[in-house]
């Protein structure tokens, strides 16, 4: 083979510096969280039906919500699901939800054990611990979609609006919630329409953007097409989850 042919062949197969960095970052994260990616791939997933593309996983979420809304949820065989999941998990979706007692993602999406990786906090915002949890489920468990799920009449967002308007700090550790939600409330204050509805929506969109851009793990997975991050609003009166338009 001539020198030029050899050089062209090397250029064709050599990965870009950015691709190598992203791959190395993912491998390091997998090793730190629980073993090498190679060992993970060698083991059959507990729930083979959960191995989905991001689009297919999102469709499965919405199909489950449609069943829930219609009152035709499936019967889940929890006994055999427990047995299958003793040795591991491979949830097909992750949900960042408000801690509100009226919101239950496992019910709202008609899911079984091991299907959803759920993080819940009042105001459904992504703090450092939540970002780390999402990095874990994406890198180690192979979860292909993250849904940030807000809901109408959110008490945490409403409390933030009132605290900012009154200029009075709330008791205990609640100001930490206010601090996290305040940027969305301030942005929504510039919008026309219902202040609470606008702030709830803006808060979801802000946290979708935060998770999509979280370096070095989540943003790399998004860029590689392995992960989709979306936002939605749960309607208390109907149980319907309405997806927000994606940027």
């Amino acid at each position: 083979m001539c020198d030029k042919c050899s050089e062209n062949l090397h250029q064709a197969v050599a990965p870009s510096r950015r691709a190598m960095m992203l791959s190395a970052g993912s491998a390091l994260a997998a090793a730190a969280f629980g073993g090498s990616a190679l060992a993970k791939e060698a083991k059959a997933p507990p729930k083979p039906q959960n191995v989905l593309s991001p689009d297919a996983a999102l469709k499965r979420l919405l199909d489950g919500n449609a069943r829930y809304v219609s009152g035709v949820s499936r019967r889940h065989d929890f006994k055999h699901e427990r047995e299958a999941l003793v040795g591991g998990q491979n949830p097909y979706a992750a949900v960042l939800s408000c801690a509100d007692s009226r919101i239950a993602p496992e019910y709202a999406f008609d899911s079984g054990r091991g299907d959803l990786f759920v993080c819940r906090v009042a105001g459904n915002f992504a703090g450092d611990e939540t970002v780390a949890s999402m990095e874990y489920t994406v890198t180690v468990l192979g979860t292909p979609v993250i849904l940030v799920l807000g809901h109408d009449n959110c008490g945490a967002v409403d409390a933030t609006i009132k605290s900012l308007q009154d200029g009075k700090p709330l008791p205990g550790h609640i100001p930490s919630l206010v601090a996290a939600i305040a940027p969305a409330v301030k942005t929504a204050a510039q919008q026309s329409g219902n202040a609470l509805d606008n702030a709830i929506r803006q808060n979801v969109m802000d946290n979708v953007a935060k998770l999509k851009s979280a370096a070095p793990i989540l943003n790399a997975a998004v860029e590689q097409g392995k992960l989709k991050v979306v936002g939605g609003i749960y309607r208390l009166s109907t149980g319907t989850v309405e997806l927000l338009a994606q940027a």
Side-chain angles (χ1 to χ4, degrees), residues 164-180:
L164 294 177
Q165 289 177 342
D166 298 341
K168 298 179 180 178
L170 296 173
H173 293 79
I174 300 177
S176 65
L177 301 180
V178 172

Side-chain angles (χ1 to χ4, degrees), residues 129-189:
E129 295 82 0
T130 299
V131 173
S133 296
M134 292 301 177
E135 289 176 337
Y136 172 83
T137 195
V138 169
T139 302
V140 179
L141 307 180
T143 305
V145 66
I146 297 173
L147 170 66
V148 179
L149 184 63
H151 67 95
D152 45 17
N153 299 322
C154 181
V157 176
D158 190 41
T160 300
I161 293 174
K162 292 175 180 176
S163 178
L164 294 177
Q165 289 177 342
D166 298 341
K168 298 179 180 178
L170 296 173
H173 293 79
I174 300 177
S176 65
L177 301 180
V178 172
I181 302 170
V185 169
K186 292 175 181 177
T187 298

Side-chain angles (χ1 to χ4, degrees), residues 1-16:
M1 183 181 293
C2 67
D3 291 342
K4 185 172 182 179
C5 293
S6 177
E7 180 182 351
N8 290 340
L9 179 60
H10 176 74
Q11 291 175 348
V13 300
S16 68

Side-chain angles (χ1 to χ4, degrees), residues 6-212:
S6 177
E7 180 182 351
N8 290 340
L9 179 60
H10 176 74
Q11 291 175 348
V13 300
S16 68
R17 178 179 175 82
R18 177 171 178 76
M20 292 176 65
M21 291 176 66
L22 293 179
S23 178
S26 297
L28 287 172
F33 277 129
S36 68
L38 186 60
K40 173 174 170 283
E41 290 174 0
K43 186 177 179 180
K47 303 187 79 170
Q49 69 272 21
N50 284 7
V51 180
L52 299 168
S53 69
D55 287 335
L58 181 58
K59 182 179 185 302
R60 182 171 169 185
L61 273 178
L62 297 180
D63 288 347
N65 180 243
R67 292 193 303 273
Y68 167 75
V69 171
S70 300
V72 291
S73 296
R74 293 172 176 169
R75 180 185 181 279
H76 295 282
D77 185 355
F78 291 116
K79 180 179 184 299
H80 288 93
E81 286 180 338
R82 282 198 300 270
E83 294 171 356
L85 294 166
V86 168
Q89 58 174 319
N90 61 317
Y92 77 88
V95 181
L96 168 53
S97 169
C98 184
D100 193 298
S101 64
R102 299 166 292 180
I103 313 300
E106 292 83 358
Y107 286 127
F109 297 106
D110 188 23
S111 62
R113 296 177 192 267
D115 286 344
L116 302 183
F117 186 93
V118 180
C119 294
R120 301 187 67 175
V121 62
N124 48 268
F125 62 87
D128 288 345
E129 295 82 0
T130 299
V131 173
S133 296
M134 292 301 177
E135 289 176 337
Y136 172 83
T137 195
V138 169
T139 302
V140 179
L141 307 180
T143 305
V145 66
I146 297 173
L147 170 66
V148 179
L149 184 63
H151 67 95
D152 45 17
N153 299 322
C154 181
V157 176
D158 190 41
T160 300
I161 293 174
K162 292 175 180 176
S163 178
L164 294 177
Q165 289 177 342
D166 298 341
K168 298 179 180 178
L170 296 173
H173 293 79
I174 300 177
S176 65
L177 301 180
V178 172
I181 302 170
V185 169
K186 292 175 181 177
T187 298
Q190 310 302 317
Q191 302 167 1
S192 60
N194 183 279
L196 178 57
D197 290 345
N198 289 343
I200 290 169
R201 178 186 177 88
Q202 188 64 49
N203 185 48
V204 169
M205 294 173 63
D206 286 357
N207 283 283
V208 168
K210 181 174 183 178
L211 290 172
K212 287 176 70 173

